[in-house]
Amino acid sequence: MERMLYTSRACTVLASDDVFRIIETSARNNPSRNVTGFLIFHQGRFLQLVEGEAQALDGLLEVLKRDPRHYGLTVHYREPALTRCFPNWRMRRLGSSAQAGEEILGTLARHPIGPHCMNLVSEFLTYGQLGSLKRSA
Ligand SMILES: Cc1cc2nc3c(=O)[nH]c(=O)nc-3n(C[C@H](O)[C@H](O)[C@H](O)COP(=O)(O)O)c2cc1C
């Protein structure tokens, strides 16, 4: 099992309806790939965390890279995982509210994963993108 986190930029014409459809498709497809996770759409950018077998994640990545609804897909984190952090989330859409952030970070903190993954989620929720801290440093 592996856990992977990536960000991407939504194409300019993407509407809330489109995000709804992405979630609908994901929730339909992911159980057969045994993939779980969450998707945050925030300030025109996506952050998605997915967990599953390496082969399933590779297959999903190939599909995602060809999806014209987003671009600039960058994998920031991918590591072996003993257990799933989000076993019941076929693909949950989360907002960028403090409450959503607390829920995700609280769940991640209860699992034996390093701080890197949590820092990435936290940075995305705070700055709406990743790399902002590095750029301003
Ligand atoms: C940001 C983003 C996240 C996505 N996440 C998933 C996902 O977790 N699972 C999935 O099956 N498709 C996901 N998709 C959709 C896929 O790119 C693709 O359109 C879909 O899997 C095709 O499914 P279909 O062949 O059943 O129509 C995502 C698309 C975008 C833009």
Side-chain angles (χ1 to χ4, degrees):
M1 258 255 310
E2 290 186 353
R3 185 172 297 113
M4 174 174 86
L5 181 151
Y6 76 82
T7 56
S8 63
R9 300 188 71 152
C11 68
T12 44
V13 293
L14 202 87
S16 184
D17 257 17
D18 297 306
V19 182
F20 176 77
R21 268 190 288 278
I22 289 169
I23 293 292
E24 216 176 33
T25 310
S26 306
R28 190 181 65 235
N29 290 345
N30 288 350
S32 61
R33 292 195 183 103
N34 213 358
V35 165
T36 50
F38 64 81
L39 179 70
I40 304 174
F41 179 53
H42 182 45
Q43 295 181 0
R45 286 180 163 87
F46 290 108
L47 178 147
Q48 189 172 31
L49 182 143
V50 284
E51 351 179 81
E53 294 304 330
Q55 218 181 342
L57 299 192
D58 286 340
L60 180 60
L61 255 185
E62 284 314 305
V63 174
L64 287 170
K65 282 179 185 164
R66 289 196 301 268
D67 194 318
R69 290 172 290 189
H70 66 166
Y71 61 97
L73 191 160
T74 309
V75 175
H76 299 275
Y77 170 95
R78 185 167 176 171
E79 283 190 2
L82 289 176
T83 55
R84 285 170 198 269
C85 295
F86 307 97
N88 303 318
W89 294 2
R90 292 179 294 174
M91 192 44 59
R92 170 135 177 232
R93 178 178 181 176
L94 285 166
S96 55
S97 65
Q99 199 187 345
E102 273 171 32
E103 186 176 0
I104 303 166
L105 296 173
T107 306
L108 288 171
R110 286 195 294 277
H111 288 80
I113 57 173
H116 182 51
C117 184
M118 287 194 346
N119 289 343
L120 291 169
V121 175
S122 187
E123 184 183 343
F124 185 81
L125 289 170
T126 308
Y127 298 99
Q129 59 182 301
L130 296 179
S132 46
L133 288 176
K134 280 179 224 102
R135 267 199 296 281
S136 61

